[in-house]
Amino acid sequence: TVVLLPLLLLFWRLLFWRLVVVDEMKFFLVLVFVLLGVSKGDVEIPATDSSLHYIGRYAFNFNNQAGFDWSGFSIKTQVCGATLVSLQIEDAYAMYYVYIDGFYSQTIHVNPNPDAAISLPDKNCHNMTITKITEAANNFNSVSLFSGIVTNAASLEAHRGFTRKVEGAKKNRKLVFVGDGMTCGYGVLSNVTDCVSPTADYGKEDVTHSYVGYISTAFDAVSQVLCYTGKGVVHNKNDPNVMSDQPMPVFWNRTMALINNIYYDFSQFSASAVYINLGTNDFATAPYPTADQFEDGYKGFIKTVKNSYPDVPIFIACGPMADSSTCSYVKQVAKDEGAAFILMDQSLLTEEDEGCDYFPNTSGSQKIADASIPVMAGVLGW
């Protein structure tokens, strides 16, 4: 079985159509590929199994699949007694990183080129993490659905015998990040500003190499990320209306960005702090909101966040893609709402720090993190 399984994983692919519920709760047919990789004697661990731990927002559907779409969502487990693992994930385009024992192992692009076979070095126990690195906006109106994993362990008992939940960071530090494409890591893996096409741009997206990843690593914190390219506080980029119907604050209460009627239970993630970087898109394209419209909208959002997480420190950042006027509005909001303000002016980044469409690349994202960490450490005592 061990010898034949890689070949079976390569050829045993089932092409099918699946109904997925999206934002307007209409039904769309989304073409997805599922890599089965199941042979006689293999052990299936369903998504509901206690050995699987989830970091990020998710909900189970009627098929007991875990649905999710936010950047940075992670599945963690400890696999024992197996040398091969097959992931059962369905989605339209998302990309994932796989980490084994804390080290990068491979990138999985479920569709259009499924490659969900993971090799382990031996049958000892290994910590495995699967992290979604692309954003909901890149899911083509479909959430990702996780059914579970399949291993070539001798039995489910062998898998569970040494299995424990893997909580992530050793310290009880939990951060929530809210932002736009810069938070998602849009274009971060590129060192050129022209990435040719949206598909190429998304191929360069990686939330783990945005400032979110660097801040989380520096603090050894578990992070929940809510980000969406093009979104603003009250006005989204390229929206012909001054006040957008779906700006970023609308998504705060959602479990999944693309489903508007499954609300998040904030008790599931006891945040230590909330970090918000919004405002760039509000003034990126005309018609622009007035200062009062922007500030009132931002203050309303901060009050919503406080209602969800009372007495939790809030950091409001501005820049480095926003201009000085925008940052002056954001600074006023932070002052009025008692939040810590983090300023990163446009001089922070050089040409060498720019990726796709002038978004920060890895060096630019590191600079944003470096500007944020001292302020956060001072407030949080970390």
Side-chain angles (χ1 to χ4, degrees):
T1 301
V2 173
V3 175
L4 293 177
L5 189 55
L7 293 176
L8 293 174
L9 290 172
L10 180 62
F11 292 108
W12 289 10
R13 296 173 179 172
L14 176 64
L15 179 63
F16 71 101
W17 294 89
R18 182 172 189 87
L19 286 173
V20 179
V21 182
V22 297
D23 189 34
E24 290 82 7
M25 299 310 293
K26 298 177 181 178
F27 288 95
F28 285 81
L29 287 173
V30 178
L31 182 63
V32 296
F33 291 82
V34 178
L35 183 60
L36 295 180
V38 180
S39 64
K40 185 177 181 180
D42 288 338
V43 176
E44 297 186 49
I45 296 92
T48 54
D49 194 86
S50 61
S51 67
L52 297 169
H53 177 67
Y54 302 105
I55 295 178
R57 299 185 178 189
Y58 68 98
F60 286 107
N61 64 10
F62 58 88
N63 287 327
N64 287 325
Q65 295 171 302
F68 57 91
D69 59 9
W70 291 111
S71 298
F73 179 85
S74 293
I75 304 163
K76 291 176 175 282
T77 191
Q78 189 178 70
V79 180
C80 301
T83 56
L84 288 170
V85 176
S86 174
L87 301 180
Q88 296 181 317
I89 297 180
E90 309 165 21
D91 60 38
Y93 194 83
M95 298 179 71
Y96 303 83
Y97 281 164
V98 178
Y99 301 89
I100 304 298
D101 296 327
F103 295 95
Y104 169 82
S105 173
Q106 67 190 81
T107 300
I108 291 176
H109 191 178
V110 176
N111 182 21
N113 299 304
D115 184 17
I118 301 170
S119 296
L120 300 175
D122 50 51
K123 290 188 176 182
N124 294 327
C125 293
H126 297 281
N127 291 329
M128 183 176 71
T129 302
I130 303 100
T131 299
K132 184 175 183 287
I133 65 170
T134 49
E135 63 182 288
N138 194 23
N139 268 34
F140 293 97
N141 290 328
S142 68
V143 300
S144 300
L145 297 173
F146 174 65
S147 300
I149 63 175
V150 179
T151 80
N152 64 346
S155 66
L156 182 58
E157 288 69 27
H159 167 76
R160 283 179 172 167
F162 302 96
T163 298
R164 59 180 176 80
K165 287 186 177 181
V166 182
E167 299 294 337
K170 296 178 181 178
K171 301 174 182 177
N172 188 27
R173 297 175 174 180
K174 297 181 179 180
L175 301 173
V176 178
F177 291 90
V178 183
D180 50 30
M182 187 166 58
T183 302
C184 293
Y186 174 91
V188 74
L189 298 182
S190 176
N191 288 319
V192 297
T193 57
D194 184 5
C195 292
V196 182
S197 69
T199 301
D201 290 357
Y202 281 118
K204 301 296 184 181
E205 182 170 300
D206 175 7
V207 69
T208 69
H209 283 85
S210 76
Y211 68 87
V212 170
Y214 296 128
I215 292 175
S216 301
T217 299
F219 287 131
D220 192 19
V222 174
S223 296
Q224 186 180 98
V225 186
L226 309 181
C227 63
Y228 209 118
T229 295
K231 296 295 184 182
V233 176
V234 297
H235 174 76
N236 297 332
K237 185 177 181 180
N238 296 322
D239 192 331
N241 301 307
V242 173
M243 305 296 283
S244 297
D245 291 333
Q246 298 278 310
M248 196 62 205
V250 170
F251 296 84
W252 173 254
N253 291 319
R254 295 187 185 183
T255 299
M256 288 165 279
L258 299 176
I259 298 182
N260 63 8
N261 66 345
I262 300 180
Y263 302 108
Y264 186 63
D265 177 3
F266 289 92
S267 66
Q268 293 182 1
F269 192 82
S270 53
S272 305
V274 178
Y275 181 111
I276 306 171
N277 191 337
L278 290 170
T280 301
N281 291 309
D282 291 85
F283 300 96
T285 58
Y288 308 119
T290 65
D292 286 342
Q293 287 174 321
F294 176 77
E295 291 182 17
D296 289 346
Y298 213 149
K299 290 176 185 178
F301 179 43
I302 298 303
K303 288 179 172 60
T304 299
V305 173
K306 289 180 177 179
N307 185 58
S308 302
Y309 289 119
D311 303 319
V312 169
I314 298 175
F315 299 91
I316 301 179
C318 187
M321 297 182 71
D323 61 24
S324 58
S325 295
T326 301
C327 288
S328 68
Y329 305 150
V330 175
K331 183 177 182 179
Q332 186 62 49
V333 171
K335 179 181 178 181
D336 292 346
E337 294 300 320
F341 178 62
I342 300 174
L343 175 63
M344 296 160 287
D345 61 39
Q346 292 177 322
S347 65
L348 180 68
L349 304 184
T350 66
E351 290 184 0
E352 288 73 25
D353 300 319
E354 295 174 341
C356 293
D357 298 327
Y358 302 95
F359 278 72
N361 59 19
T362 53
S363 63
S365 295
Q366 183 66 67
K367 287 183 177 180
I368 296 171
D370 291 343
S372 302
I373 289 169
V375 179
M376 298 177 70
V379 173
L380 298 172
W382 293 356

